[in-house]
Amino acid sequence: MNKFSIIFYFLALVSACQMEKDESDISLRNIELFEYIRDSTSIFIKTNELDVSGYFEGDTLRVKYYSVSPDEYYTAFKESEDFISYFSREGRFNEKLGGGVYRKNDSDLIINVDGNSFLFNDNISESNWFYHEGKIGEYHLIKSIQYEDVLAYYLNSKTGNIEKFLALGNMATNIRERLVLYSELPTPIYSKDNTEITIFQVNSDRRDTLLFVQSDWFAMFPFFKNPHELYYIHSTYDDQNGIQSSYAKMEISWR
């Protein structure tokens, strides 16, 4: 075996070990988040109250969805290929920092763009919280809670322009494939018969809508296990029965 072959096999071995370590780190952080949510919040449901199935499709994507057992949802949560993000007024989990994005004094979120610094301040007296979800294409995605509103800001990493265009909804992001699922939430103030579900992809500095539907249900705590599988809590709401839910899965295929 010549020296070049030895170097090649050595690099391949190092790469395989690093991939295994990365997967282990992701699994560990997902498990830690799962245990926190299970023990500290009321996000997860105990049993399925609904049995759901169906599909919707557009010119680009076809999505099949159906109920799954709680155990399947929990397993997929722990085995997601990326850190699942979560933040609330009580804390931040798996915030993606680095690359000019950092926190100062655990309250100021600072993002550097072309020599300029953009400050997002967690001001408890004004009930504001900010969280860096990650960078998708040319955009930094910043989630926020301001009083009772949940918002999402997209900060262009080239121009510094901020676009606020998503509110009152749940989101799942797949940073690697630049995919975002957005599910609008029904509210007593902003009530209508159907809510909006959108899957879009961020390509460079634009947002391409891959699928848009109006539905009588909405997705709670969605996350991508991978680009083709998304798990969520399928929920319906009405004044008589309140919220009823089922753990569910979306199978996403490109047309």
Side-chain angles (χ1 to χ4, degrees), residues 4-248:
F4 297 105
S5 296
I6 294 174
I7 292 173
F8 173 80
Y9 284 115
F10 174 76
L11 292 175
L13 178 61
V14 170
S15 177
C17 291
Q18 182 61 44
M19 289 178 62
E20 185 175 344
K21 179 181 182 299
D22 291 344
E23 291 175 356
S24 176
D25 288 345
I26 290 171
S27 178
L28 178 60
R29 288 170 68 168
N30 286 340
I31 290 172
E32 290 174 347
L33 175 56
F34 171 83
E35 292 176 347
Y36 170 83
I37 293 175
R38 180 195 61 191
D39 298 338
S40 306
T41 75
S42 57
I43 289 177
F44 295 152
I45 59 177
K46 294 182 179 180
T47 59
N48 287 349
E49 301 167 309
L50 304 172
D51 184 14
V52 301
S53 64
Y55 72 92
F56 41 82
E57 57 187 346
D59 295 335
T60 306
L61 293 182
R62 175 184 171 91
V63 175
K64 177 183 178 182
Y65 62 89
Y66 50 90
S67 293
V68 298
S69 68
D71 285 343
E72 180 175 342
Y73 179 94
Y74 301 155
T75 298
F77 190 111
K78 298 170 186 177
E79 295 179 349
S80 171
E81 69 177 17
D82 204 351
F83 302 137
I84 298 177
S85 61
Y86 174 77
F87 91 114
S88 66
R89 290 181 172 86
E90 287 72 38
R92 294 180 291 266
F93 290 85
N94 296 333
E95 185 174 34
K96 294 179 175 64
L97 303 176
V101 181
Y102 61 98
R103 283 197 168 273
K104 182 179 180 181
N105 300 327
D106 198 38
S107 61
D108 294 344
L109 172 63
I110 300 173
I111 302 177
N112 291 324
V113 175
D114 195 24
N116 296 315
S117 294
F118 292 81
L119 172 66
F120 300 85
N121 179 259
D122 292 341
N123 189 327
I124 297 178
S125 64
E126 296 182 2
S127 302
N128 295 345
W129 283 263
F130 294 95
Y131 177 93
H132 188 256
E133 176 83 6
K135 187 178 179 184
I136 305 178
E138 297 296 338
Y139 285 97
H140 293 281
L141 174 57
I142 301 103
K143 291 183 177 179
S144 75
I145 300 174
Q146 298 184 37
Y147 296 98
E148 298 304 320
D149 294 333
V150 179
L151 307 172
Y153 295 84
Y154 275 65
L155 172 66
N156 191 304
S157 63
K158 289 185 175 180
T159 66
N161 293 331
I162 297 177
E163 181 181 4
K164 180 177 70 176
F165 65 95
L166 295 176
L168 297 172
N170 285 318
M171 299 176 63
T173 59
N174 184 293
I175 300 295
R176 299 179 189 182
E177 302 296 330
R178 307 184 308 281
L179 292 173
V180 179
L181 175 134
Y182 169 74
S183 178
E184 182 186 38
L185 296 181
T187 68
I189 298 175
Y190 185 58
S191 61
K192 56 184 180 179
D193 294 336
N194 294 313
T195 59
E196 299 174 2
I197 297 174
T198 307
I199 298 177
F200 60 89
Q201 187 171 45
V202 179
N203 292 310
S204 186
D205 59 353
R206 72 179 192 275
R207 183 185 69 163
D208 294 332
T209 299
L210 304 179
L211 186 68
F212 172 85
V213 296
Q214 290 188 314
S215 177
D216 58 359
W217 57 268
F218 57 98
M220 296 290 290
F221 208 91
F223 64 90
F224 284 95
K225 183 179 181 183
N226 57 58
H228 307 290
E229 296 177 291
L230 182 142
Y231 285 82
Y232 68 103
I233 302 176
H234 186 112
S235 301
T236 62
Y237 172 81
D238 61 55
D239 292 335
Q240 182 176 357
N241 298 312
I243 295 179
Q244 292 187 301
S245 302
S246 169
Y247 291 108

